[in-house]
Amino acid sequence: MKTYQPESIRNVALLGHSGSGKTTLAETMIYESGTSHKRGSVENHNTFSDYRDIEKEKQKSIYGSLLHLDWRGTKINLLDTPGSSDFWGQVSESLYVADTALFVLNSEAGVEVGTEAFWKAAEKRGIPSMFVVNKLDGDKSDFQNTVDMARERFGRGVVIVQYPYSEGDEFHAIIDVLKMTMYEFPEDGGRPDKLPIPESQKAQAELLQNELVEAIAENDETLLDLYFEHGELDEYQMRDGLQMSLKNRDIFPLFCSCASRNMGTGRILGFLGNVSPSPIERPMTLKDEGEYYISEDSDPSFYVFKTSSEAHVGDLTYFKTTGASIKPGMDLVNRRTMDSLRIGALYVNQGAKRIETNEVVTGDLGVAVKLKDVLSGDTVTKKEIDLEFLPVSYPVTTMRVAVKLLKEGDEDKLGTALNQIQKEDPSAHIEYSQELQQTILHGLGEEHLNVILHQLKERFKLDVEYIKPRIPYRETITKRVDTRYRHKKQSGGAGQYAEVYLSVEPWQEGMPDRDDLNVRDVQEIDLEWGGKLVFQNCIVGGVIDNRFMPAILKGIMDKMSNGPLSGCRARDIRVSVYDGSMHSVDSNEAAFKTAALMAFRDAFLKASPQLLEPVYEIEVTLPAVYMGDVMSDLSSRRGQIQGMDSEGSIQKVKAIVPLQELDQYTTRLKSMTQGTATYTRKFYDYSAVPHDIQKRIIEETLAAEEV
Ligand SMILES: Nc1nc2c(ncn2[C@@H]2O[C@H](COP(=O)(O)OP(=O)(O)O)[C@@H](O)[C@H]2O)c(=O)[nH]1
Ligand SMILES: [Mg+2]
């Protein structure tokens, strides 16, 4: 493997909606650079990226892939990412190591919802960004519409460097306003002829060139002066200006391509090689959010952005070198665990193909094998170097299922498999719920969960299925009730005696104290399942000994964790114990615990109990045309609209929706909007379940108990 200087490395993430042509563009770039002499296609299942069986089967990217090429002495690493919102986790990872974000737009569709979300993420990370408008040969190609949409969404910084001479079937030439040249391609693509701009296009090209020059000069005073002085900038001044404004995210240059016919890729490679920043020109983010410029003069270190596991090889650790070169045989330390690591064989990846290398230089991306307990987001350094980068933050999950084993005895195997899956794909989240007595798998959508099911079955050979996950309901009461319970047992020897008077009330923050009671002691308990229990000791005259109070509380807590109504957990209740009686011999802790439990249960059931359900705050992002459908669907899901917002033709709706109604929402939303809408959700609160639903749930619980 050739060795590169850090200045000659580029780390480029390919981002954009599913089907815009990222994988094809990567393949074509590798071919066009001469790094490979074969050019595969997604249809023929022989691209460097999309090499896993499931990707070939589905004909789309599911995992991030690391590819590379050599362009005239510059090593360009390509991080191909999946476009569908189900696999956003893979996109997030790439954004922690990319120094340029290349957005591929489908000229037939304009800016799609997925692209919008990735844009936000790249913006947050301050990554220099550029556009390639692809599929200009498509029947419905509309370059101008795509540019208009991009400008509307991403601002005036989107500047045209190239535009197509003609589109659709006729597409064969690109006009470049930076070079003021027309590139005309042979029928099957490849090297274009460089021609003067035709007379008919001169005015348009000059207009766009002026826009470009002004955009560049605007951000640089020296250039602005030169521009005013000479009325133009030469190609080198333009390039320097572009470099600076790209790096500062002042401008986002836009190029053209037809990836499947290899038209336009050479020029894009040239731009990446000559203009886009190298890894030493761009800061990485430290754990405390500070900026850190990597350098070959600092001690060897690396940042892990992805892990996977492959048959016959074991664990693969994908990393970016953030100090001096990483070499086999080095002894380093994982900052998260402080475990020592001995670096073994190192590779550079071309999709599935691994090429062994004897070093991974500063800023380059490489792969190490068989490193134990290393996760994406980890920083690995020399022992004495205190350096830690910000770990990858993954998108919030939007869908949950319960995993059911169809064969008993495989519990441990399932646990191991799920842990491995979560390690490789931290956007999946596994929860072993004691409360629901289910293994709940949280993911980003049906497709994401299906890929995991496929892995459980095929890779881990488990007989499993997904079932509906239970809902963590809560119980509470709606009015005050006073009650008493006497527990008395006389069986042979020692008897049991305890009597408790208590009052239950719905608890609310800031509610008034009980002035009718002599409150001697208050315990505010934050329940581990949310909400509160406020326990008040209002005993007068020592009718119940203080030493029995913990047992009384225990009895109440037992019933709180296994609610009187349906067995769900109870919350937000104030209990005041205000009277009772003891027996000098027969009273003990067990007796008081029982008496308290029974009294609490009785009072609870008389206090108009109410079932509560978790409700989530969701934000749906969708093209305006689907607004009507999405709104009426939300109302059928008992959704309460909180607000609406629009950015151009993209709408955002905020609503509060019960978790129960979000069961298949990700899937439904996709099918309603032809895959163009996305949503995020987060837990909001608990709210009262409507009466009819409460009745049904209680009946179901009782029926289940009888079995
Ligand atoms: N007509 C046309 N089809 C293309 C072009 N680029 C990619 N495709 C096709 O579009 C589909 C999706 O491409 P792919 O590279 O998998 O998109 P990705 O999801 O962004 O990686 C495939 O069938 C490609 O062959 C292009 O420039 N023109
Ligand atoms: Mg792809």
Side-chain angles (χ1 to χ4, degrees):
M1 199 57 210
K2 191 171 152 185
T3 320
Y4 295 84
Q5 294 302 311
E7 301 78 49
S8 313
I9 291 173
R10 303 288 179 269
N11 296 315
V12 182
L14 299 177
L15 307 165
H17 201 75
S18 210
S20 53
K22 298 174 292 297
T23 300
T24 310
L25 186 67
E27 187 74 11
T28 307
M29 283 173 156
I30 294 168
Y31 171 78
E32 180 61 21
S33 69
T35 306
S36 160
H37 299 295
K38 82 161 214 344
R39 180 154 68 101
S41 74
V42 177
E43 287 75 11
N44 291 333
H45 312 301
N46 59 352
T47 48
F48 285 113
S49 183
D50 290 7
Y51 55 87
R52 295 109 178 152
D53 288 342
I54 185 161
E55 293 178 310
K56 289 184 187 171
E57 188 185 311
K58 307 228 175 227
Q59 252 186 55
K60 66 193 280 188
S61 315
I62 288 174
Y63 301 97
S65 290
L66 176 58
L67 311 157
H68 67 91
L69 57 87
D70 180 281
W71 175 257
R72 300 184 180 162
T74 299
K75 184 184 184 207
I76 301 181
N77 290 313
L78 298 172
L79 294 145
D80 185 22
T81 64
S84 133
S85 56
D86 282 68
F87 307 111
W88 275 8
Q90 306 283 319
V91 179
S92 307
E93 291 175 341
S94 73
L95 293 180
Y96 280 71
V97 292
D99 303 302
T100 303
L102 191 159
F103 287 86
V104 182
L105 302 179
N106 175 355
S107 180
E108 296 194 304
V111 176
E112 297 164 275
V113 173
T115 310
E116 176 107 9
F118 303 145
W119 176 265
K120 289 243 160 77
E123 187 174 42
K124 194 166 165 210
R125 308 211 50 72
I127 306 176
S129 300
M130 60 187 281
F131 293 94
V132 170
V133 180
N134 187 42
K135 294 199 172 175
L136 286 161
D137 61 326
D139 289 345
K140 295 197 283 295
S141 169
D142 191 340
F143 177 77
Q144 194 53 49
N145 174 54
T146 307
V147 172
D148 291 346
M149 282 180 89
R151 287 218 169 115
E152 185 185 287
R153 227 53 63 61
F154 312 129
R156 280 182 56 238
V158 180
V159 288
I160 295 174
V161 176
Q162 300 182 324
Y163 71 95
Y165 177 63
S166 50
E167 295 179 63
D169 244 4
E170 311 263 282
F171 176 76
H172 70 291
I174 294 171
I175 292 176
D176 192 304
V177 303
L178 183 58
K179 300 240 182 207
M180 280 312 253
T181 302
M182 179 161 98
Y183 297 104
E184 189 176 54
F185 296 91
E187 181 63 23
D188 52 356
R191 286 280 131 86
D193 285 332
K194 291 181 191 166
L195 305 175
I197 293 177
E199 210 49 49
S200 64
Q201 293 296 321
K202 275 216 165 110
Q204 171 73 353
E206 272 164 21
L207 183 84
L208 291 173
Q209 189 192 33
N210 272 335
E211 277 182 26
L212 177 62
V213 175
E214 274 167 26
I216 294 171
E218 207 171 85
N219 299 303
D220 186 324
E221 273 183 31
T222 337
L223 285 180
L224 196 61
D225 290 346
L226 279 170
Y227 179 53
F228 280 134
E229 220 169 286
H230 303 285
E232 60 178 7
L233 296 177
D234 68 30
E235 200 189 318
Y236 299 101
Q237 290 162 340
M238 294 263 277
R239 192 171 83 184
D240 291 350
L242 255 178
Q243 214 152 25
M244 188 54 75
S245 16
L246 176 73
K247 207 162 76 182
N248 295 340
R249 287 181 57 88
D250 289 324
I251 72 169
F252 312 110
L254 180 139
F255 292 80
C256 292
S257 79
C258 166
S260 56
R261 284 163 60 197
N262 188 14
M263 297 180 182
T265 39
R267 183 75 175 92
I268 299 166
L269 286 170
F271 182 83
L272 289 171
N274 296 328
V275 181
S276 74
S278 80
I280 51 174
E281 292 171 76
R282 281 256 316 131
M284 298 265 300
T285 314
L286 293 168
K287 199 171 178 187
D288 64 5
E289 310 265 330
E291 285 189 350
Y292 179 90
Y293 281 87
I294 65 177
S295 148
E296 55 190 326
D297 300 327
S298 47
D299 286 295
S301 66
F302 63 82
Y303 176 73
V304 179
F305 65 97
K306 175 182 169 61
T307 67
S308 72
S309 162
E310 257 158 56
H312 316 299
V313 192
D315 287 343
L316 301 185
T317 304
Y318 292 72
F319 67 88
K320 179 179 194 174
T321 302
T322 50
S325 293
I326 299 297
K327 296 178 180 164
M330 279 182 167
D331 287 308
L332 301 173
V333 163
N334 182 346
R335 301 312 303 180
R336 181 177 53 85
T337 58
M338 289 314 279
D339 288 346
S340 299
L341 297 173
R342 161 70 56 96
I343 306 301
L346 292 171
Y347 299 88
V348 288
N349 268 32
Q350 193 68 294
K353 211 169 101 189
R354 272 183 303 280
I355 306 143
E356 191 155 359
T357 181
N358 51 18
E359 68 177 320
V360 179
V361 304
T362 314
D364 203 358
L365 307 182
V367 177
V369 292
K370 297 192 172 63
L371 297 184
K372 274 227 159 54
D373 192 24
V374 174
L375 300 177
S376 56
D378 284 351
T379 306
V380 177
T381 63
K382 275 179 96 170
K383 193 165 180 200
E384 58 281 8
I385 306 302
D386 186 16
L387 175 71
E388 218 168 328
F389 294 106
L390 188 71
V392 179
S393 107
Y394 288 89
V396 187
T397 57
T398 55
M399 197 166 171
R400 59 199 270 283
V401 288
V403 186
K404 187 176 172 207
L405 262 181
L406 297 173
K407 207 172 109 211
E408 258 180 60
D410 272 351
E411 288 76 11
D412 286 352
K413 214 171 131 194
L414 176 65
T416 313
L418 287 172
N419 285 343
Q420 181 67 26
I421 287 171
Q422 182 170 284
K423 185 176 141 195
E424 288 169 30
D425 174 9
S427 65
H429 173 65
I430 289 126
E431 178 199 353
Y432 300 95
S433 173
Q434 272 291 339
E435 175 185 359
L436 305 177
Q437 293 287 305
Q438 282 182 327
T439 300
I440 311 273
L441 179 58
H442 301 262
L444 297 173
E446 194 172 0
E447 231 189 315
H448 186 208
L449 294 172
N450 282 343
V451 165
I452 295 175
L453 187 63
H454 185 275
Q455 287 202 46
L456 288 172
K457 288 181 172 170
E458 304 301 322
R459 177 173 160 199
F460 295 98
K461 307 282 176 236
L462 282 158
D463 200 5
V464 286
E465 65 176 13
Y466 286 160
I467 57 169
K468 215 174 144 116
R470 299 191 181 107
I471 304 282
Y473 291 108
R474 297 286 175 262
E475 300 181 6
T476 195
I477 51 174
T478 56
K479 65 176 194 195
R480 179 181 142 187
V481 167
D482 294 2
T483 193
R484 47 172 279 217
Y485 189 89
R486 181 188 290 165
H487 176 61
K488 197 173 166 188
K489 239 185 188 165
Q490 207 63 58
S491 50
Q496 291 220 21
Y497 181 91
E499 187 179 31
V500 173
Y501 285 63
L502 54 76
S503 170
V504 299
E505 303 159 89
W507 174 83
Q508 268 174 349
E509 193 71 59
M511 70 191 290
D513 293 339
R514 289 284 295 258
D515 49 16
D516 57 328
L517 295 174
N518 178 13
V519 182
R520 292 174 47 209
D521 181 44
V522 183
Q523 286 184 53
E524 271 199 30
I525 300 160
D526 284 316
L527 301 165
E528 62 184 77
W529 52 85
K532 277 198 180 168
L533 168 70
V534 176
F535 180 68
Q536 307 198 120
N537 176 352
C538 312
I539 294 296
V540 221
V543 291
I544 300 178
D545 240 17
N546 251 344
R547 69 192 159 100
F548 293 130
M549 277 300 157
I552 292 176
L553 176 58
K554 178 98 183 25
I556 293 166
M557 276 302 282
D558 274 8
K559 212 58 216 154
M560 289 283 291
S561 65
N562 176 21
L565 192 59
S566 64
C568 295
R569 290 165 179 183
R571 58 178 281 168
D572 300 333
I573 295 165
R574 181 159 80 180
V575 185
S576 311
V577 179
Y578 60 89
D579 203 353
S581 61
M582 301 182 286
H583 182 275
S584 56
V585 179
D586 292 347
S587 280
N588 56 31
E589 286 174 353
F592 269 103
K593 187 180 151 197
T594 308
L597 186 150
M598 296 307 285
F600 178 70
R601 179 178 178 276
D602 179 54
F604 193 102
L605 289 172
K606 287 177 182 151
S608 304
Q610 169 71 57
L611 213 53
L612 303 173
E613 62 182 340
V615 292
Y616 278 65
E617 182 180 65
I618 71 166
E619 185 175 280
V620 189
T621 307
L622 70 155
V625 283
Y626 298 112
M627 199 62 178
D629 293 348
V630 168
M631 292 294 272
S632 70
D633 177 72
L634 276 176
S635 90
S636 76
R637 290 172 192 272
R638 300 190 278 132
Q640 291 166 23
I641 307 299
Q642 302 289 298
M644 277 177 257
D645 205 3
S646 72
E647 278 174 36
S649 59
I650 298 281
Q651 294 277 339
K652 284 189 195 305
V653 182
K654 266 200 183 138
I656 306 289
V657 188
L659 176 62
Q660 195 197 19
E661 305 287 341
L662 286 175
D663 228 4
Q664 292 293 320
Y665 189 58
T666 320
T667 311
R668 178 82 188 103
L669 184 65
K670 273 202 178 146
S671 72
M672 244 184 326
T673 62
Q674 312 202 335
T676 56
T678 60
Y679 92 105
T680 59
R681 72 183 192 189
K682 63 170 189 272
F683 174 75
Y684 181 71
D685 204 355
Y686 269 92
S687 95
V689 172
H691 196 72
D692 50 330
I693 300 178
Q694 168 159 336
K695 196 162 159 255
R696 201 193 68 219
I697 295 165
I698 295 170
E699 279 166 9
E700 277 170 14
T701 318
L702 294 179
E705 267 170 20
E706 275 163 22
V707 173

